[in-house]
Each structure stands twice: as C-alpha cells, then as structure tokens.
C-alpha cells in the first residue's frame, strides 16, 4: 500500500500529475468533501477500474459555497487522517486537499455556474443556492485536475444529473460515471451525515430505504401505486419527517407514464436531513389496462402487492 501524494496547492497538484499526463495516461477523479466511508471507497474503485494504470485523484474539500445559512458547514465531519488511509488502501495516487483560499482566492467568484431549472426542484426547493455552489466548485476542480473521467455516487442523484447536464451543456469533455449507492445491511444509504444520528435516530433512518423499496415493488402498477405504497410504508415509521417523495424521469425531467424512472425521497430524522433514491421501472397504470369486461386483468395481483406493504 503506497501513500498517495498529498497536494495542498494548485501548483503541487499540477506537479504531481505532470509526468503521468505527459506519458499519455488517462486521469480519473473522485471529488469528495471528506469524511470518507465505504460508499466513497466504491467510487475510488470505479475510478481505478476506469483508467487502469492511469492516475486516480481524489479531492477532499468542504465547499462553503454549497452550504446555505444555518446549514452544517461548521460541524461537517473532518477526518483527514482516516480519509488519507482510505485513499491509500484504494490505490489513490494524489489527494488534493486545498484550503478555501486556494479554491476561492479573493473570495466567492464573480462568475459562477447557473444550474438552471433542474436545480429548483427536489433538493433545490429546500436548498435554493446549493447546486450553484456544487456546480461551481466541480467546474473549478475539473479545471484544476483536468480529468478524463469523474466518478460521483448515485446517492446524490440530483447532483449527478446536474453534473452530467453541466458537462454536456458546457462541453467540458469529462466522462461522468455514476456509481451505485452503497447501503448498510438494513438498507440505509451510506452518507457522511449518518454520523449525526444517535442510535435511536439511526434505527428510524432505515425507514427511507424501506419506503423506496415499498414504492419500487408497486412500480408495475404505475406511479400512483408507487407513491401510495411508499406512503403506507412511511406512515409506519415514527420520527421521520417527510420533505418530498417523488417519481421523476431518469434525467429528473417530468414523470413518465411508464418505463424507466427514479423514485426520490428526502426526510428529516431529528435535525438531520437525509436523502435517498432508487431506480424503478413503471408499468402501465391499471386504468390503461382495463379489460373489455371493465375489470383490471391484474387486479388480484395489485391487491396482493398492496397487502404485502402492510396497509393497516
Ligand atoms: O458530493 C459531494 O461530496 C460534494 O457535493 C462534491 C461533489 C464533492 C462537491 O463539493
């Protein structure tokens, strides 16, 4: 296990990559805010697999621009020593750990990335400036690292969709790879913010993934069945305060009537806001499948599916 080079300045980062770049290697990049967990480890592994012998760069930077007033910027977990150990264990070559002045010399930039309408829905309703901050820092980090491939978790699905959109709309020439969410045995999606949960809240937090699972099981019966079954499951959980539960297209456009879609949830458990999402495949809603005798060909199946959600 070789320790990665730790670059704290733009010049150190450029120096650490110069020889590999000159030799024609492809560069893979995993931007993070640190507090790394097994979900990040999986992103590092995807990055390594995508460039073979080429260099893998990770960044650890808690980006003030993406935190709104009253959010957890000050208490966001900072665990650099453990982060560097994880990077070493997963074959990272360079860890870029810039200070705020290195990323934002002179303060917040005058020119920022306007994330457009996709940033106003879902997370954007509660966090109106969040994605402007995310896209601006990701664009800057892309400019500094100049990766061929960048890996992001599907856990932050709206972030991933917006980064794909930014790369396409601004012709940034980076191959954006989404990596599947890593979950605890009870289904809770791994997140650096899970550390805020006390044991009781941690137990309650598993309701988010159970809610998504219940919705996903009802997907063959259409969108209303998905939302209905998910809500039934959520009602069984106490101390989980729903913010949104929505079905959208895979690119987060309007909800499709059938086919591939994404079910997304945000909820508060205590003071901690958690998000999660799941891929679903929507079947035709029962109304669209009504038989000539006025019955739904699969009404018995539908009833069975709803009953197994425990609607009582
Ligand atoms: O997902 C994160 O950790 C952050 O939003 C990112 C992409 C590193 C930008 O600060």
């Amino acid at each position: 296990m070789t320790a990665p080079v730790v670059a704290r300045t733009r010049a150190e980062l450029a120096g650490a990559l110069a020889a590999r770049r000159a030799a024609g290697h492809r560069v893979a990049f995993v931007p993070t805010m640190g507090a790394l967990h097994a979900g990040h480890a999986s992103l590092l592994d995807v990055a390594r697999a995508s460039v073979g012998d080429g260099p893998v760069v990770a960044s650890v930077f808690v980006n003030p621009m993406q935190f709104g007033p009253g959010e957890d910027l000050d208490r966001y977990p900072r665990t650099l020593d453990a982060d560097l150990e994880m990077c070493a264990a997963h074959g990272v070559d360079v860890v870029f750990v810039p200070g705020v002045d290195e990323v934002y010399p002179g303060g917040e930039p005058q020119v920022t990335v306007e994330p457009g309408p996709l940033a106003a829905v879902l997370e954007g309703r509660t966090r109106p400036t969040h994605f402007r901050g995310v896209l601006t820092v990701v664009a800057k980090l892309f400019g500094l690292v100049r990766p061929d491939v960048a890996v992001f978790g599907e856990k932050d699905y709206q972030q991933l969709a917006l980064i794909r959109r930014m790369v396409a709309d601004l012709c940034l020439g980076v191959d954006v790879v989404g990596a599947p969410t890593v979950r605890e045995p009870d289904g809770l999606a791994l997140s650096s913010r899970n550390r805020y949960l006390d044991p009781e809240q941690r137990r309650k937090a598993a309701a988010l993934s159970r809610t998504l699972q219940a919705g996903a099981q009802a997907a063959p019966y259409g969108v209303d069945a998905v939302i209905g079954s998910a809500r039934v499951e959520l009602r069984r959980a106490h101390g989980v305060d729903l913010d949104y539960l929505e079905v959208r297209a895979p690119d987060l456009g309007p909800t499709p009537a059938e086919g591939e879609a994404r079910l997304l949830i945000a909820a508060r458990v205590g003071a901690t806001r958690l998000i999660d999402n799941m891929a679903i495949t929507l079947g035709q809603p029962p109304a669209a499948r009504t038989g000539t005798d006025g019955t739904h060909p699969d009404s018995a199946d539908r009833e069975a599916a709803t009953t197994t959600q425990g609607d009582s």
Side-chain angles (χ1 to χ4, degrees):
M1 183 164 97
T2 317
V5 172
V6 178
R8 293 188 181 270
T9 65
R10 300 169 181 220
E12 286 172 8
L13 174 67
L17 287 172
R20 309 290 294 276
R21 230 193 277 279
H25 287 291
R26 280 162 57 79
V27 177
F29 180 39
V30 181
T32 83
M33 297 208 299
L36 303 188
H37 49 66
H40 293 108
S42 76
L43 306 184
L44 298 174
D45 293 343
V46 170
R48 165 57 61 215
S50 69
V51 290
D53 290 344
V56 172
V57 181
S59 61
V60 173
F61 178 64
V62 181
N63 172 34
M65 241 191 108
Q66 69 189 73
F67 290 79
E71 291 189 354
D72 56 344
L73 173 61
D74 292 338
R75 69 182 189 119
Y76 196 86
R78 281 139 169 109
T79 59
L80 186 58
D81 289 345
D83 294 347
L84 293 177
E85 271 177 36
M86 180 176 284
C87 287
H90 289 267
V92 173
D93 299 276
V94 181
V95 186
F96 183 41
V97 191
V100 174
D101 290 347
E102 194 66 22
V103 177
Y104 299 116
E108 204 168 293
Q110 290 186 20
V111 175
T112 61
V113 179
E114 160 57 48
L118 195 50
V121 300
L122 300 164
E123 286 301 285
R125 279 199 295 269
T126 312
R127 310 182 74 191
T129 58
H130 175 62
F131 290 114
R132 177 174 151 269
V134 170
L135 294 193
T136 299
V137 83
V138 170
K140 285 174 76 80
L141 291 169
F142 280 2
L144 294 170
V145 176
R146 293 192 284 127
D148 297 281
V149 183
V151 186
F152 297 86
E154 288 185 347
K155 155 78 172 43
D156 295 309
Y157 194 82
Q158 190 174 7
Q159 167 174 287
L160 173 62
L162 274 158
I163 288 168
R164 286 192 198 286
R165 189 78 211 203
M166 171 177 77
V167 165
D169 285 357
L170 302 184
C171 310
L172 297 186
V174 177
D175 183 9
V176 175
V177 176
T181 302
V182 178
R183 297 179 180 279
E184 301 278 9
D186 68 356
L188 179 67
L190 296 195
S191 162
S192 303
R193 289 190 167 97
N194 291 352
R195 302 170 196 234
Y196 298 153
L197 302 169
D198 68 26
E200 182 60 12
Q201 293 167 342
R202 164 65 192 80
R203 194 185 56 72
K204 290 176 177 168
L208 271 79
S209 71
R210 282 201 307 274
T211 298
L212 295 178
Q213 286 286 359
Q217 280 171 25
Y221 307 101
V223 176
D224 291 349
V226 168
I227 296 295
S229 293
R231 282 188 177 278
V232 166
E233 182 61 42
L234 193 62
R235 274 200 293 274
R236 303 161 105 197
H238 298 285
V240 179
D241 190 8
L242 182 66
D243 180 355
Y244 61 75
L245 175 70
E246 285 190 37
V247 177
R248 288 189 163 252
D251 65 357
L252 298 185
T255 314
E258 60 180 309
E260 299 305 306
R262 207 84 194 177
L263 176 61
L264 304 103
I265 189 170
R268 270 184 197 283
V269 180
T272 306
R273 192 162 179 284
L274 299 171
I275 58 173
D276 199 354
N277 67 87
M278 213 166 265
I280 58 173
T281 306
L282 293 169
Q284 285 187 341
R289 289 189 284 180
T290 301
T292 48
D293 63 352
T295 63
H296 298 157
D298 60 353
S299 54
D301 295 355
R302 168 78 205 285
E303 207 164 315
T306 317
T307 310
T308 52
Q309 308 311 320
D311 190 4
S312 59

